[in-house]
Amino acid sequence: MKYSVTYDAYYEDEGDLWTEEGCGEPDCKYCTKRPSRPSLRTQAVKEEDEAYDD
Amino acid sequence: MRVDGDSKIVISDFYSGCNLDCTFDFDPDFDIDQSAFSVTGGEILSISLEVDSVDMLIKPIDEIVNIIIDTNLEDGDFSGVSVSVTEVTVESNLDPVMRIDGGVDQIVKFAPVPVFFEGHQSTPREEIVKYEWDFGDGAKAEGFNAAHVYQAPGTYTATLTISDAAGNFETVENTVIATKRSTVYYVKNAGNDNADGLSYETAWRTADHAFRKRYNLGDEVLFTPGETFKLENPVDLSSFSNIYGVLFGANNSSKPATINVQFDSGYVFPNARGMSDITFSNLIFNMNGSTLMQATRGQSILFLDCILNEPYQGFLMQGDVKGFFIIRCGINHSTGIQLYSTGSRIAILDSKFNFSENHIAYLEVVNVGVIVNNTFAYPTFGRHAFRLCGREKPTTNNVWIVGNKITGWKSPGQTRFNWMLVHIAPNVPGKNQIIKNIHFKYNTIRNGETLLNIGNVEDSEFRENLLVTEDTYTGGRRIIIGSKHHFDTRPCKNCLFTKNIAVVTKVDEGVTSLFSIQNYPGHSGLEFSENTLLCYGGLTRFMWFETPDMLNGVNSHHNHIGAMGQDAQRIDLDVDSELFQIGGRFVGGLRYTLAEWQDSCSLEEGTTVE
């Protein structure tokens, strides 16, 4: 499990999984301002965004 | 009859006579040694115990138990018969188990010593109604887990006492030795970084210098209480990886020292791997938008009487840290998650976490924990005040969450209260996440749309919580069983919701549902009893089932539903209100009054509406 500052989410390399996105309400400013999160299989996350391996 | 210190009930004054029905007030689950009984002129065939079927958790003491002694004597043979009894010892089957710091035999560490106490392995779990801890230094606690900090050097005997519903108890104890630290390094504003730091007169001057040294086991770095120090640069990782037994700050001080972080991003302690028995005490960190640390693979890390102001993120533990203690701490105004964990033996006590532009507590894994008497308040909309998830390894289980205040609000720019305050459910799809043995009791959850949402939760108890909201949003479901939230989940099993009180006011137009059973079939062993819902206006459902099959596995009884308020036009809640619903969303579906509900599905026996 690693943490991406850019996307403000935790993700798993195995399975290419992101953690939850939040409420998903269309009028939630927090949700709407978050960048969409790429598939980790197609785009590497920058080194400075990474936390540490489990 | 008396009860001695070993929880053995000794019957020494047995009723004697030909009437063979005798009454005692001990737990009928006990086994009695029948050889202690004899009857003149006859033979005892069997001895049995009878007790009325009662909820022993509600009325634990003084239930009358009849001892029925069956003999070969016929009615006419009872003349002159007496029952004689030698001393009968009835032993409880309570077996207390105390594990300290994961199972070590004895703790000998430098003060202050944080200790994680596990009592959850005591048996039989279903009979234990109280776990009491006496830490041996005057402090006490309750709970199947506990944590405590021994601040003064000394030898302490910690005791766990478990009790059953009849008041029988058993104890177990262990020893903790807190020793005096060996070397103290001093830091003061008028110091000199070129000095040796080994006395107040030869103290160092800067926080950068104090955090740069490679310390040894038992060292203490005393930042002079009341003084403020700048930290110009992140601490070099060579100082803080694999560091053991060091105290930063001041133990037992009435004044904190303050560290003003001068950089506005990144970590104060980058790459804090492998710390063991590290304490931060009596320190205020003005974080300036930075993050304190992300502790990985460490054990016994203590933050005691520390405050973090305006961090990006706060206390982070990752990679199964074993033993993380946050005690009497606070985080104020963060831009990121204040508290994050994937760890074992997590203790969060007497702390306050307020205002975040993200989650307050996001606890991804708590493999055995105690979370007591904290405040988790004011996350932003779309984020949680208290999030507990689960992973397969390590799993989230045996967490004691008691006496916390969990508070929402209308965060800046929002017109609605937080969409969900407490969420105990998976957070990643496809990971077989498990959450077990959560005891969520005596907490207050205030001002949110959904106040509590659980999914994948098993063998857990939600007892005597107070839920209050002034929500006006039209879709409020206050307690959701069956969190989905985008992820594959499994049903909830064997969960008890009892004696919770929900007060929901000002639901102007919409529907409020106290319990919503939803999202996937197969929930089982869910019991809802003695809960109270007080609602002020609006359309109220006590219980909503998304589909009829979700009725299976639910046992609901002896709840109380009432309306409150003075404006008669707003009170549409009475015995004829449609308080139960199957299907539909906020309206629609099949709706039932209490009487119709009882007729149709036999649920809600003993429930009242007024």
Side-chain angles (χ1 to χ4, degrees), chain B residues 23 43 108 251 277 280 288 447 537 603:
Chain B
T23 60
E43 178 184 350
V108 182
N251 187 23
D277 300 304
F280 295 86
N288 193 29
N447 281 343
L603 287 176

Side-chain angles (χ1 to χ4, degrees), chain A residues 1-6 8 10 12 14 17-25 27-31 33-34 50-54, chain B residues 271 273 294 296-297 312-313 318 337 340 357-358 362 364 380-383 387 391 413-414 416 419 427-429 431 485-487:
Chain A
M1 184 69 77
K2 298 176 181 177
Y3 180 71
S4 165
V5 172
T6 301
D8 185 30
Y10 295 86
E12 302 241 8
E14 181 183 358
L17 303 173
W18 289 97
T19 53
E20 61 194 338
E21 299 176 352
C23 63
E25 296 274 354
D27 55 348
C28 172
K29 291 180 181 177
Y30 183 84
C31 288
K33 77 180 182 182
R34 304 181 76 199
E50 294 186 359
Y52 306 106
D53 297 341
D54 277 352
Chain B
N271 208 3
R273 294 178 178 226
Q294 193 154 28
T296 58
R297 297 195 184 96
Y312 167 56
Q313 296 184 312
Q318 194 165 15
I337 296 169
Y340 172 85
E357 295 179 26
N358 205 306
Y362 194 98
E364 187 156 8
T380 192
F381 188 87
R383 309 303 253 175
R387 181 75 165 97
R391 302 252 300 275
Q414 293 295 327
R416 292 159 51 180
W419 71 293
N427 69 329
V428 173
K431 298 299 291 183
H485 197 46
H486 318 304
F487 307 120

Side-chain angles (χ1 to χ4, degrees), chain B residues 175-331:
Chain B
T175 303
V176 175
I177 299 174
T179 61
K180 191 173 180 347
R181 289 187 176 268
S182 50
T183 303
V184 179
Y185 294 92
Y186 294 83
V187 192
K188 65 179 182 181
N189 290 156
N192 182 345
D193 285 346
N194 293 321
D196 63 13
L198 288 169
S199 68
Y200 186 74
E201 289 71 27
T202 60
W204 296 325
R205 186 176 65 85
T206 67
D208 290 83
H209 184 82
F211 285 125
R212 186 177 300 145
K213 180 178 167 60
R214 181 78 191 178
Y215 292 100
N216 296 313
L217 183 67
D219 287 350
E220 176 178 352
V221 184
L222 176 58
F223 289 87
T224 301
E227 294 194 351
T228 299
F229 303 88
K230 291 181 180 177
L231 184 66
E232 302 283 355
N233 298 293
V235 175
D236 192 303
L237 64 86
S238 63
S239 300
F240 257 81
S241 58
N242 302 318
I243 182 173
Y244 309 112
V246 184
L247 164 64
F248 297 93
N251 187 23
N252 265 333
S253 171
S254 59
K255 278 187 177 177
T258 301
I259 308 289
N260 282 343
V261 178
Q262 302 297 299
F263 45 92
D264 59 6
S265 63
Y267 292 91
V268 172
F269 300 99
N271 208 3
R273 294 178 178 226
M275 295 190 301
S276 179
D277 300 304
I278 299 298
T279 294
F280 295 86
S281 179
N282 273 292
L283 290 173
I284 295 173
F285 289 90
N286 292 323
M287 298 296 292
N288 193 29
S290 63
T291 297
L292 189 66
M293 68 169 58
Q294 193 154 28
T296 58
R297 297 195 184 96
Q299 61 179 4
S300 292
I301 299 166
L302 167 63
F303 287 90
L304 178 65
D305 297 312
C306 289
I307 293 175
L308 273 60
N309 292 317
E310 300 185 358
Y312 167 56
Q313 296 184 312
F315 299 118
L316 306 178
M317 57 212 101
Q318 194 165 15
D320 199 16
V321 170
K322 291 180 170 59
F324 202 106
F325 302 82
I326 298 171
I327 298 179
R328 299 196 303 263
C329 289
I331 299 179

Side-chain angles (χ1 to χ4, degrees), chain B residues 582-603:
Chain B
I582 298 175
R585 297 304 297 175
F586 307 125
V587 293
L590 302 172
R591 301 190 297 277
Y592 304 83
T593 65
L594 174 62
E596 291 168 343
W597 186 250
Q598 290 168 327
D599 288 342
S600 65
C601 67
S602 302
L603 287 176

Side-chain angles (χ1 to χ4, degrees), chain B residues 38-238:
Chain B
S38 64
V39 177
T40 58
E43 178 184 350
I44 295 177
L45 300 178
S46 66
I47 295 179
S48 60
L49 306 174
E50 287 184 354
V51 63
D52 291 338
S53 177
V54 296
D55 182 351
M56 298 299 284
L57 295 179
I58 298 173
K59 298 177 180 178
I61 309 296
D62 296 332
E63 291 304 321
I64 301 300
V65 178
N66 295 316
I67 294 184
I68 310 299
I69 302 176
D70 184 19
T71 74
N72 63 347
L73 299 174
E74 300 297 332
D75 289 347
D77 297 332
F78 278 92
S79 177
V81 168
S82 65
V83 176
S84 62
V85 187
T86 59
E87 187 170 88
V88 175
T89 300
V90 185
E91 294 191 23
S92 80
N93 55 354
L94 296 172
D95 183 14
V97 175
M98 180 199 300
R99 280 163 54 97
I100 52 175
D101 280 2
V104 300
D105 292 334
Q106 188 185 62
I107 290 176
V108 182
K109 291 182 177 179
F110 295 103
V113 180
V115 180
F116 196 99
F117 295 92
E118 292 174 63
H120 63 88
Q121 293 165 319
S122 303
T123 57
R125 185 158 180 161
E126 65 278 9
E127 294 183 16
I128 301 171
V129 297
K130 187 178 285 187
Y131 303 75
E132 295 172 288
W133 300 88
D134 185 332
F135 299 117
D137 63 352
K140 297 180 179 181
E142 287 189 22
F144 63 50
N145 296 327
H148 185 61
V149 177
Y150 294 92
Q151 290 195 245
T155 299
Y156 304 96
T157 300
T159 305
L160 167 64
T161 300
I162 60 172
S163 307
D164 66 12
N168 306 294
F169 59 91
E170 293 283 355
T171 63
V172 63
E173 59 186 35
N174 215 320
T175 303
V176 175
I177 299 174
T179 61
K180 191 173 180 347
R181 289 187 176 268
S182 50
T183 303
V184 179
Y185 294 92
Y186 294 83
V187 192
K188 65 179 182 181
N189 290 156
N192 182 345
D193 285 346
N194 293 321
D196 63 13
L198 288 169
S199 68
Y200 186 74
E201 289 71 27
T202 60
W204 296 325
R205 186 176 65 85
T206 67
D208 290 83
H209 184 82
F211 285 125
R212 186 177 300 145
K213 180 178 167 60
R214 181 78 191 178
Y215 292 100
N216 296 313
L217 183 67
D219 287 350
E220 176 178 352
V221 184
L222 176 58
F223 289 87
T224 301
E227 294 194 351
T228 299
F229 303 88
K230 291 181 180 177
L231 184 66
E232 302 283 355
N233 298 293
V235 175
D236 192 303
L237 64 86
S238 63

